[in-house]
């Protein structure tokens, strides 16, 4: 078992290891005394893994209750969120009880947000079951739900007690969902550690190594800037244009695929401006393609720009973009919306 420490708030551990689902109860006891454990999951993950989690938790002395909602981004909304809160209240969950988020980024974001809001905050544990959740969303404490006006518009920074990541759970993922997680891992290669570009371009992927290094990088960045007022913004590489692609597609294009397209757009724009080498832009696109990720979108600059205007990271008429420099290094650039549109047009 690999342990990655996250030194944010009172700090917590990420445990990574094959077969850890069965040890969840035991590992949870390190930080939580037996109490009522509310498993929150989606229907797909519930059918695959909730029984094994329940056995482990009950074996460690927890009383288990469970709330399940339909899988997919469409569920990450206020209606599901309120019904989770009602479920917790109906079952009289108290401040010393705990939520277990069993699922991908949608489950983790929503269960984490419920944990943040219920009774002014109760404890929660992340059990990521997608690669995206393992390498990104389960670490760092961003939780939230989508509103009709846009993605993640109701949100909170709220850290879990512990993250338990069993890479064997990823064996049942669809190929495209697995690739979504690789987009975020490739992002770490571009912004922080060039070695991640080697790891994600290997013919045979070392998934455990990718998860470990991603968790370390995310932890290191979040430790320096928990609330995203500075360096944490580098994690948004590919996300500004990516979120616009997601929004234009009415969220039928997944987050990971949209981020892949966003990274490719900004890289092409930077190459055309002479800010990065042609060979580096080609390398980024090649790694994305090798992992079956898209690099182009059919939406035009006007539609994407319109979608960008609702980006919550926009400050008045300025937006901060993350630009690639050399493998493992990037820079933040605050520019006007007009300039951002020019970059978008260049990179499309
Ligand atoms: N909080 C953060 O820091 C952060 C970071 C990145 C993304 N996100 C959010 O994460 C969400 C996307 O997460 P995601 O890509 O994990 O999507 P997801 O949670 O919707 O999961 C994708 C699909 O995979 C299924 N699935 C999950 N685990 C499975 C398994 N082990 N086997 C088989 N099927 C499985 C799910 O049921 C779903 O149908 C978006 O809402 C995005 O905004 C949050």
């Amino acid at each position: 078992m690999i342990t990655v420490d996250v030194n944010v708030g009172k700090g917590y551990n990420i445990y990574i290891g094959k077969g850890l689902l069965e040890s969840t109860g035991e590992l949870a006891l390190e930080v939580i005394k037996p109490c009522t454990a509310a498993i929150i999951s989606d229907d797909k993950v519930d059918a695959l893994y909730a029984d094994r989690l329940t056995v482990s938790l009950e074996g460690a002395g927890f009383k288990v209750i469970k709330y399940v909602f339909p899988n997919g981004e469409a569920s990450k909304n206020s209606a599901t969120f309120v019904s989770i809160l009602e479920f917790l209240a109906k079952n009289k969950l108290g401040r010393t009880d705990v939520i277990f988020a069993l699922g991908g980024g949608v489950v983790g974001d929503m269960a984490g947000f419920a944990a943040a809001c219920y009774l002014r905050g109760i404890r929660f544990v992340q059990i990521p079951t997608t690669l995206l959740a393992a390498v990104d969303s389960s670490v760092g404490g961003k939780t939230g739900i989508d509103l009709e006006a846009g993605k993640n518009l109701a949100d909170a920074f709220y850290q879990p007690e512990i993250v338990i990541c069993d890479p064997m759970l990823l064996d049942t993922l669809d190929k495209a969902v697995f690739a979504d997680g690789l987009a975020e891992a490739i992002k770490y290669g571009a912004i922080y550690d060039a070695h991640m570009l080697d790891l994600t371009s290997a013919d045979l992927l070392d998934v455990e190594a990718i998860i470990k290094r991603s968790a370390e990088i995310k932890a290191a960045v979040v430790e320096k800037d928990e609330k995203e007022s500075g360096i944490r913004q580098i994690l948004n590489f590919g996300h500004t244009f990516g979120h616009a692609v997601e929004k234009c597609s009415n969220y039928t294009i997944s987050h990971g695929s949209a981020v892949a397209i966003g990274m490719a757009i900004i890289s092409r724009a930077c190459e055309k401006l002479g800010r990065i080498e042609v060979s580096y832009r080609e390398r980024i696109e090649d790694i994305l393609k090798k992992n079956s990720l898209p690099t182009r979108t059919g939406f035009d600059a006007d539609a994407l720009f319109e979608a960008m205007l609702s980006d919550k990271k926009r400050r008045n008429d300025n937006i901060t973009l993350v630009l690639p420099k050399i493998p493992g290094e990037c820079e933040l650039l605050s520019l006007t919306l007009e300039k951002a549109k020019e970059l978008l047009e260049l990179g499309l």
Side-chain angles (χ1 to χ4, degrees):
M1 179 174 78
I2 297 161
T3 307
V4 176
D5 302 328
V6 187
N7 296 307
V8 175
K10 60 184 169 53
Y12 56 95
N13 287 335
I14 302 168
Y15 293 123
I16 303 160
K18 288 188 177 143
L20 280 189
L21 182 66
E22 268 69 31
S23 308
T24 302
E26 211 180 300
L27 290 170
L29 284 180
E30 287 178 9
V31 285
I32 304 159
K33 291 200 186 92
C35 58
T36 301
I39 297 175
I40 297 179
S41 194
D42 71 32
D43 53 353
K44 216 174 193 176
V45 179
D46 172 50
L48 289 164
Y49 300 115
D51 285 351
R52 282 160 59 191
L53 175 60
T54 302
V55 169
S56 174
L57 291 174
E58 287 179 347
F62 291 90
K63 178 191 165 214
V64 177
I65 58 171
K66 188 173 75 175
Y67 182 92
V68 177
F69 59 83
N71 72 89
E73 184 75 28
S75 286
K76 197 175 138 180
N77 58 28
S78 52
T80 317
F81 172 69
V82 170
S83 65
I84 292 172
L85 297 181
E86 293 290 0
F87 168 81
L88 300 176
K90 203 174 94 196
N91 284 281
K92 301 191 168 36
L93 227 76
R95 296 202 69 184
T96 53
D97 293 321
V98 60
I99 287 174
F100 282 79
L102 174 70
V106 166
V107 169
D109 279 12
M110 205 153 45
F113 192 47
C117 296
Y118 182 69
L119 301 180
R120 296 200 190 93
I122 66 167
R123 298 169 301 175
F124 86 114
V125 173
Q126 289 269 22
I127 305 178
T129 66
T130 63
L131 183 61
L132 183 138
V135 301
D136 190 357
S137 62
S138 66
V139 184
K142 273 193 185 178
T143 69
I145 56 167
D146 303 334
L147 300 181
E148 276 176 25
K151 238 176 104 69
N152 298 327
L153 286 181
D155 55 357
F157 288 103
Y158 196 67
Q159 305 292 340
E161 296 299 306
I162 184 171
V163 181
I164 298 169
C165 178
D166 179 349
M168 284 173 83
L169 308 189
L170 309 184
D171 290 349
T172 49
L173 285 177
D174 291 348
K175 214 171 161 253
V177 178
F178 183 81
D180 284 339
L182 286 171
E184 300 284 4
I186 294 165
K187 173 189 82 179
Y188 295 128
I191 62 169
Y192 199 90
D193 178 5
H195 178 53
M196 282 296 283
L197 295 176
D198 300 330
L199 280 178
T200 50
S201 57
D203 289 334
L204 196 62
L205 295 174
D206 183 342
V207 176
E208 236 171 301
I210 289 173
I211 295 173
K212 173 180 179 280
R213 189 64 193 126
S214 297
E216 285 169 351
I217 293 169
K218 180 120 190 221
V221 172
V222 170
E223 279 166 17
K224 288 190 196 119
D225 174 25
E226 183 188 0
K227 303 274 166 74
E228 202 173 297
S229 50
I231 189 182
R232 187 168 179 165
Q233 294 176 79
I234 67 172
L235 298 173
N236 295 327
F237 177 50
H239 282 59
T240 304
F241 296 155
H243 280 155
V245 170
E246 252 182 303
K247 187 152 195 258
C248 283
S249 78
N250 206 14
Y251 303 103
T252 54
I253 295 181
S254 66
H255 179 76
S257 292
V259 168
I261 294 167
M263 290 192 288
I265 294 174
I266 193 77
S267 301
R268 286 191 294 265
C270 285
E271 182 211 319
K272 287 193 180 144
L273 291 171
R275 296 180 78 107
I276 63 169
E277 300 281 339
V278 178
S279 58
Y280 182 35
R281 190 270 304 156
E282 284 173 347
R283 185 163 180 221
I284 291 175
E285 285 200 271
D286 286 349
I287 299 174
L288 294 170
K289 285 180 193 158
K290 183 166 183 180
N291 288 298
S292 311
L293 286 160
T295 57
R296 300 259 175 196
T297 174
F299 298 114
D300 64 23
D302 286 335
L304 291 168
F305 184 68
E306 190 59 34
M308 263 171 62
L309 295 179
S310 68
D311 194 306
K312 67 178 181 179
K313 290 181 178 105
R314 183 159 75 91
R315 305 247 189 292
N316 304 319
D317 287 334
N318 277 300
I319 195 152
T320 300
L321 289 183
V322 188
L323 308 187
K325 270 169 81 176
I326 54 170
E329 269 186 46
C330 62
E331 63 187 314
L332 294 173
L333 190 69
S334 171
L335 66 185
T336 61
L337 289 170
E338 286 68 33
K339 284 273 173 218
K341 190 176 181 197
E342 279 172 34
L343 278 185
L344 177 62
E345 281 165 342
L346 266 183
L348 274 179

